[in-house]
Amino acid sequence: MKAFNRIFSAVTVAIILLFVVVNMILAADKTDGSRQYRVEISRLAREIEANGSADISECVYVTNIERYGKKFYSTDSDYVIYEINGELYRFDYSANGYSNKAHFVGIVNAVLGVIAILFIAVMLYIKYAILAPFERLSSLPYELSKGNLTTPVKETKNRFFGKFLWGIDILRENIEQQKQRELEMQKEKKTLLLSLSHDIKTPLSAIKLYSAALSKNLYPDAKKQQKIAESITEKADEIEGYVLQIITASRKDFLSLEVNMGEFYLSELIEKITEYYSEKLALIKTDFNIGKYKNCLLSGDLNRSVEVLQNMMENSLKYGDGRRVELIFPEDDECVQIALRNGGCTLSVDDLPHIFESFWRGANAESIRGSGLGLYICRQLMRKMNGEIFAEIDGDIITVIAVFTRA
């Protein structure tokens, strides 16, 4: 806003200076006119002396020539009297040139005034309709990042920021829902761990007692010892069951990925990916080739489908050689396949089945930052959209293929 005020002040001063300069030029022209009318009169006098008459149609300052007579001195205009060939002539003139010169000055000033008013009106509109609301909204993302914006964002009819506020409010709702889900998940985890740890204590205590009895030879009878050994095995199996529950809970889907099923065209999906990655890959000098495809209607969530392809692209940029990325479309009558191919793959074929598991990272990812969730999220989203995703390795070329169902 401060920068805008400085620009507004500078342009206003420039308009005022322009107004002053134009009026000075017009005033100077008027001063020159007070001298130029004498030149015209002298030329007309010489012409009358030579020809007996003169033409004033092209004159700028002289408006009339009157020969001496009854109404010789009856005029409201400024005049000069010359004696030519023994007769008196009256030359009426206007020091401002044309009679409408004053009107011309007024028109110029009026035009400059209108321009100044329009400029001020436009700048004030920009200030109060765009910059002022934006300045008030600029703190919303910062407050949202700190988690302070818990109340809904007020709706506005501002055509410039209505959609922005709508998006901010949706983002706020998503963050609040995510926080709520995280709290519920933490509560469930804590409840589960407390319950399982309590359940494990009972068989564990029994195993300790049985092992202590065996170590002290309290039961010399072989049958009794066999029975204790069977009890220990039973309790160990019980503990193993609890451990299995913990493992199952840890592998349970911890991401709440919502999908809004609908229909969209394949070209829409490709355009969104191309719009972002064409420029990004050009900056890092990576060739980005998109194969030919037949546009068709797909079933799924467009935004989630974009997320799937983005994760695939980011994965290929992280672990590829950065030379070339290809987006191809293998023909399939029953579904639509979108395959992403890139070179520089150092992943072994044995590791290929694990790349879609959560938090799994191969040996080739030791020096690369990541969480091991990108392809896992891709698989979860594709399955929720009734699709699938898989990968193939051919030498150092890896191809990740997303399979979409037709609408």
Side-chain angles (χ1 to χ4, degrees), residues 5-25:
N5 290 334
R6 288 195 294 268
I7 295 173
F8 179 77
S9 300
V11 177
T12 303
V13 171
I15 290 178
I16 294 174
L17 290 176
L18 177 63
F19 181 83
V20 172
V21 169
V22 169
N23 278 273
M24 288 177 65
I25 292 173

Side-chain angles (χ1 to χ4, degrees), residues 7-151:
I7 295 173
F8 179 77
S9 300
V11 177
T12 303
V13 171
I15 290 178
I16 294 174
L17 290 176
L18 177 63
F19 181 83
V20 172
V21 169
V22 169
N23 278 273
M24 288 177 65
I25 292 173
L26 292 174
D29 183 63
K30 179 179 178 181
T31 303
D32 293 340
S34 65
R35 300 172 183 174
Q36 290 295 329
Y37 78 91
R38 295 181 181 275
V39 176
E40 280 192 357
I41 292 174
S42 298
R43 178 179 61 78
L44 292 172
R46 289 193 300 269
E47 190 175 342
I48 292 173
E49 185 177 4
N51 303 324
S53 63
D55 183 14
I56 64 172
S57 61
E58 297 182 359
C59 292
V60 177
Y61 301 98
V62 177
T63 58
N64 183 44
I65 299 176
E66 185 73 27
R67 185 179 292 183
Y68 181 79
K70 292 182 179 180
K71 299 181 179 180
F72 186 72
Y73 296 102
S74 300
T75 180
D76 295 329
S77 175
D78 295 330
Y79 63 88
V80 174
I81 298 176
Y82 272 64
E83 182 180 355
I84 305 172
N85 296 331
E87 290 189 65
L88 296 178
Y89 288 86
R90 189 190 75 220
F91 295 87
D92 297 337
Y93 68 89
S94 172
N96 293 328
Y98 291 113
S99 58
N100 61 350
K101 186 68 175 287
H103 298 290
F104 176 73
V105 174
I107 291 173
V108 171
N109 288 331
V111 170
L112 289 175
V114 169
I115 292 174
I117 292 172
L118 288 175
F119 168 77
I120 293 173
V122 170
M123 296 297 281
L124 290 176
Y125 176 78
I126 293 174
K127 179 178 180 180
Y128 292 106
I130 299 178
L131 296 182
F134 183 77
E135 189 174 15
R136 290 194 298 268
L137 298 175
S138 60
S139 62
L140 288 180
Y142 178 69
E143 295 295 329
L144 193 62
S145 66
K146 296 191 298 183
N148 295 337
L149 200 60
T150 56
T151 57

Side-chain angles (χ1 to χ4, degrees), residues 311-322 325 340 342-343:
N311 285 343
M312 291 166 56
M313 289 290 296
E314 294 298 330
N315 203 66
S316 66
L317 294 177
K318 277 184 180 181
Y319 305 108
D321 55 12
V325 176
L340 187 66
N342 66 282

Side-chain angles (χ1 to χ4, degrees), residues 277-325:
Y277 282 101
S278 294
E279 183 177 356
K280 181 177 180 178
L281 295 183
L283 292 175
I284 61 177
K285 298 182 179 180
T286 299
D287 293 335
F288 184 34
N289 297 326
I290 299 177
K292 294 182 179 180
Y293 61 91
K294 294 180 180 179
N295 193 19
C296 58
L297 200 60
L298 304 182
S299 175
D301 186 333
L302 177 58
N303 294 327
R304 290 301 192 181
S305 301
V306 171
E307 185 178 350
V308 169
L309 291 188
Q310 284 181 340
N311 285 343
M312 291 166 56
M313 289 290 296
E314 294 298 330
N315 203 66
S316 66
L317 294 177
K318 277 184 180 181
Y319 305 108
D321 55 12
R323 296 179 181 178
R324 185 175 183 177
V325 176

